[in-house]
Amino acid sequence: YLDAPLGKYYIYHSTDHGGGNAIMMSYTDDLEATWTYYGDVCKLSEQGGITGDIETPCVIWEANSKRFLMYWHTGAAANGLSQNTYISESVDGINWIFVGKAFKFPARFVNGDGHNGYFKVVESNGMYLGQHAITGSSNSRYGLSYSKDGVNWFTVLDPSIQVGIYGLIKIGDSYYNCKSLDSDYNITSPKIMAVKLSDDFKHELGGYFFVGESLLGNITATTSFTDVDGTQYILISDNGSLDPVNSSQPINAKTISLLKVITNNKIFK
């Protein structure tokens, strides 16, 4: 996609409800090596006058228009909706131009505070499929939206949709919900599992796979991607990390784990 990239892989990351004023980027040539921190790339001050914070980026390459699209949300309310998702575009992955608000549905069509953040996008049968929050903490439900160009979205306001707010991933041609399992499931060491979804996203099918361990038992974001060689990966943001000095003591920081999908798209490592 780029003539002279800084590295083979870029990762975009943010603070979490911490008043962050920019999306940051790091890069590497080797997924299992150390990442180099680049710094701020998508600055809130340059994004259409939106206020609040800026967090939870999701970036795709939109092949038809030959540009990167970034989806992010902020705590600033607009049109009666809380924590809206917005879109920015870039041709180099570093300099980002504001495009606009992702969703057009009015507040009266949803319950709760209208929180529509945590948007994650994957390609689906020649279109784009996005998963996101739809109503917020007062009446938490999840939504799916579809788009032909990655900018204009049609939202499915269906309470029977079973995608989790943090967990939708695509492995092969199937979709899965990622969930945290902790002591409530009689599991001593918190785990993360993936459950296959039906084609209409309304049912969780039988069978599940453990995809990794969660240090504090609470994932906050999950995404998947396929490398150019066909290898598939899952990225999981954990809700915290452990103090390197006192390994039993949590510290207030989120961590990102990279998981590799192996053996027929069925076993996760």
Side-chain angles (χ1 to χ4, degrees):
Y1 305 140
L2 301 175
D3 292 331
L6 296 173
K8 185 178 178 181
Y9 304 95
Y10 286 13
I11 187 171
Y12 297 89
H13 44 96
S14 71
T15 61
D16 178 56
H17 297 303
N21 57 12
I23 300 298
M24 298 158 279
M25 188 270 282
S26 298
Y27 61 91
T28 187
D29 284 323
D30 184 349
L31 287 173
E32 298 185 16
T34 301
W35 290 74
T36 300
Y37 177 66
Y38 178 85
D40 295 348
V41 288
C42 184
K43 300 177 181 179
L44 186 61
S45 60
E46 300 172 353
Q47 303 304 311
I50 305 301
T51 59
D53 51 13
I54 179 171
E55 64 171 87
T56 321
C58 172
V59 176
I60 66 168
W61 171 252
E62 208 296 292
N64 292 322
S65 57
K66 292 182 170 53
R67 59 178 172 169
F68 294 99
L69 294 176
M70 178 188 290
Y71 307 93
W72 49 272
H73 81 257
T74 179
N79 300 323
L81 299 173
S82 170
Q83 299 197 51
N84 287 280
T85 291
Y86 296 93
I87 307 172
S88 299
E89 64 178 2
S90 174
V91 294
D92 61 9
I94 296 175
N95 299 286
W96 293 87
I97 299 172
F98 185 68
V99 174
K101 193 169 176 290
F103 306 122
K104 307 300 190 293
F105 56 81
R108 69 177 184 275
F109 285 175
V110 297
N111 296 317
D113 60 16
H115 184 335
N116 56 83
Y118 300 103
F119 194 38
K120 289 184 303 217
V121 178
V122 295
E123 291 188 59
S124 176
N125 299 319
M127 298 183 65
Y128 297 104
L129 168 68
Q131 165 220 7
H132 51 89
I134 196 65
T135 58
S137 57
S138 57
N139 187 18
S140 183
R141 292 193 184 282
Y142 318 118
L144 287 174
S145 292
Y146 295 86
S147 174
K148 292 183 178 180
D149 59 9
V151 174
N152 298 286
W153 291 89
F154 171 78
T155 302
V156 180
L157 299 175
D158 187 341
S160 62
I161 294 294
Q162 293 296 312
V163 294
I165 186 172
Y166 305 124
L168 184 67
I169 61 172
K170 184 179 182 181
I171 302 297
D173 294 325
S174 299
Y175 294 91
Y176 295 81
N177 256 346
C178 277
K179 296 183 174 182
S180 294
L181 299 180
D182 51 26
S183 57
D184 292 339
Y185 293 84
N186 295 316
I187 295 177
T188 303
S189 177
K191 302 277 188 179
I192 298 168
M193 76 172 187
V195 183
K196 189 174 182 179
L197 290 166
S198 58
D199 292 340
D200 60 4
F201 300 97
K202 294 184 178 182
H203 307 281
E204 289 188 340
L205 304 180
Y208 60 87
F209 308 98
F210 290 118
V211 300
E213 294 192 0
S214 174
L215 292 176
L216 298 185
N218 185 11
I219 56 174
T220 56
T222 311
T223 191
S224 56
F225 69 95
T226 302
D227 204 352
V228 291
D229 64 359
T231 303
Q232 295 180 298
Y233 295 90
I234 301 171
L235 279 167
I236 291 177
S237 177
D238 195 279
N239 201 36
S241 59
L242 301 180
D243 190 316
V245 177
N246 181 0
S247 61
S248 64
Q249 179 63 45
I251 58 176
N252 186 22
K254 295 183 182 294
T255 59
I256 298 175
S257 300
L258 178 68
L259 308 173
K260 185 177 182 180
V261 182
I262 61 174
T263 313
N264 257 344
N265 299 326
K266 293 182 177 179
I267 300 176
F268 301 85
K269 179 179 180 181

